[in-house]
């Protein structure tokens, strides 16, 4: 059974830091890319960052570039999203998702598996 379990969300002050974790199981981790997405109230879900577990390539949305860092511990089947200098507009439910690298059609498109999400609230 495929599982993606996010953790690490919570309340953080603007300018602080927070690290989200995504623990994966039930599939061959190295064959997948893991993406972080977020959805704020009243807004569409958007892609935040992605890492390819086969070679470590990373991608970021312009809105978080330079502030967020995605990383992967392949030995633990876990992906992290380090959020530095968060802003109130980063407040959202954050989801991690997995997609087979062999079949993916785009960095933030058509992911196969999704976690339940973790709330991140950034106070000003």
């Amino acid at each position: 059974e495929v599982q993606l379990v996010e953790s690490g969300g919570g309340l953080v002050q603007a300018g602080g830091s927070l690290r989200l974790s995504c623990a994966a199981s039930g599939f061959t981790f190295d064959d997948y890319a893991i993406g972080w997405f977020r959805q704020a109230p009243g807004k569409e879900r958007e892609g935040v960052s992605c890492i390819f577990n086969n070679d470590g390539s990373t991608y970021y949305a312009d809105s978080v570039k330079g502030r967020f860092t995605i990383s992967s511990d392949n030995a633990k089947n876990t992906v992290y999203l380090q959020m530095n200098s968060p802003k109130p507009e980063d407040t959202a439910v954050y989801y991690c998702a997995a997609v087979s690298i062999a079949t993916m059609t785009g960095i933030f498109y058509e992911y196969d598996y999704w976690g339940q999400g973790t709330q991140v609230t950034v106070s000003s």
Side-chain angles (χ1 to χ4, degrees):
E1 179 189 4
V2 173
Q3 280 194 317
L4 294 168
V5 180
E6 302 97 337
S7 60
L11 177 65
V12 61
Q13 281 194 326
S17 64
L18 197 66
R19 190 178 78 161
L20 306 182
S21 299
C22 172
S25 62
F27 57 91
T28 304
F29 193 71
D30 291 2
D31 292 342
Y32 279 70
I34 303 293
W36 283 100
F37 297 77
R38 66 187 182 187
Q39 187 165 21
K43 294 188 176 182
E44 291 189 355
R45 186 175 63 200
E46 63 173 344
V48 174
S49 185
C50 171
I51 187 165
F52 282 61
N53 288 329
N54 59 341
D55 65 5
S57 299
T58 58
Y59 299 85
Y60 297 93
D62 288 342
S63 58
V64 305
K65 204 172 290 183
R67 299 187 298 119
F68 291 7
T69 302
I70 192 169
S71 62
S72 180
D73 185 337
N74 288 37
K76 295 182 178 180
N77 283 9
T78 300
V79 170
Y80 305 97
L81 185 69
Q82 179 69 42
M83 304 171 62
N84 293 333
S85 300
K87 305 174 182 179
E89 51 264 44
D90 294 320
T91 294
V93 177
Y94 282 71
Y95 301 89
C96 67
V99 60
S100 170
I101 294 170
T103 60
M104 70 186 303
T105 58
I107 297 300
F108 295 127
Y109 293 98
E110 298 180 350
Y111 276 61
D112 300 316
Y113 308 111
W114 291 83
Q116 293 299 306
T118 186
Q119 176 70 47
V120 172
T121 302
V122 184
S123 62
S124 57

